[in-house]
């Protein structure tokens, strides 16, 4: 059985990870990942390896390219026995220099070990923003 209760999985995804993304808090976001974590944007098969290398660079690019990022309308299914959570959500982003925001309906699958992400799979309903 997992060392963490069901609520922990919801909190790390919403109150730590996505809160950090929406508020451009890179340290808060990266603190959710193990050093050797891998994030894969499955729709385009883009892979980002390592918290301090690939994942950091991906988020720096995301933050630099958008003046507004918002995630909400979450629906979660947590598998505490296997330390995993699947989260469906809405995304609104405004690219810098653009007037119209982009809207997505995405799904992420997070795998954890000792309370931090080891693997994250991102399924996007539109163009890959995680380059």
């Amino acid at each position: 059985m997992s060392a963490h209760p069901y609520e922990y999985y919801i909190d790390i995804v919403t109150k730590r990870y996505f809160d950090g993304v929406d508020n451009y808090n890179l340290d808060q976001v990266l603190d959710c990942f193990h050093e050797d974590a891998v994030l894969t944007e499955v729709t385009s098969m883009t892979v980002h390896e390592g918290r301090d290398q690939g994942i950091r660079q991906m988020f720096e690019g995301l933050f630099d390219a958008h003046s507004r990022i918002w995630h909400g309308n979450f629906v979660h299914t947590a598998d505490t026995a296997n330390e995993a959570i699947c989260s469906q959500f809405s995304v609104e982003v405004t690219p810098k220099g653009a007037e119209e925001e982009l809207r997505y309906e995405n799904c992420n699958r997070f795998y954890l070990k000792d309370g931090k992400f080891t693997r994250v799979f991102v399924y996007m309903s539109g163009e890959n923003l995680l380059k």
Side-chain angles (χ1 to χ4, degrees):
M1 184 168 166
S2 169
H4 298 286
Y6 183 88
E7 295 78 18
Y8 178 85
Y9 295 88
I10 308 297
D11 286 352
I12 191 170
V13 168
T14 58
K15 294 180 181 174
R16 291 174 55 198
Y17 177 71
F18 282 118
D19 176 76
V21 173
D22 291 353
N23 289 292
Y24 296 75
N25 185 336
L26 185 58
D27 290 338
Q28 180 178 325
V29 172
L30 294 178
D31 188 52
C32 296
F33 290 88
H34 278 279
E35 186 176 327
D36 61 350
V38 177
L39 186 147
T40 302
E41 196 283 325
V42 178
T43 312
S44 67
M45 286 310 297
T46 303
V47 179
H48 304 279
E49 297 185 34
R51 177 192 65 210
D52 300 324
Q53 296 84 34
I55 295 171
R56 171 183 289 278
Q57 291 171 353
M58 180 202 73
F59 279 110
E60 288 172 344
L62 179 71
F63 294 165
D64 286 346
H66 298 90
S67 60
R68 178 179 177 266
I69 303 171
W70 175 86
H71 296 83
N73 303 324
F74 292 100
V75 177
H76 305 284
T77 304
D79 178 357
T80 59
N82 292 301
E83 296 188 85
I85 181 169
C86 183
S87 300
Q88 294 174 268
F89 50 91
S90 301
V91 183
E92 296 174 1
V93 296
T94 305
K96 286 185 178 171
E99 292 185 24
E100 279 191 48
E101 69 182 12
L102 305 173
R103 296 174 189 223
Y104 293 82
E105 294 297 324
N106 292 357
C107 180
N108 286 11
R109 180 81 175 161
F110 301 90
Y111 292 91
L112 294 85
K113 181 180 176 189
D114 302 323
K116 292 192 177 194
F117 304 146
T118 58
R119 296 279 312 199
V120 177
F121 295 91
V122 178
Y123 299 83
M124 291 192 154
S125 65
E127 177 187 346
N128 177 16
L129 302 177
L130 306 175
K131 299 175 182 174

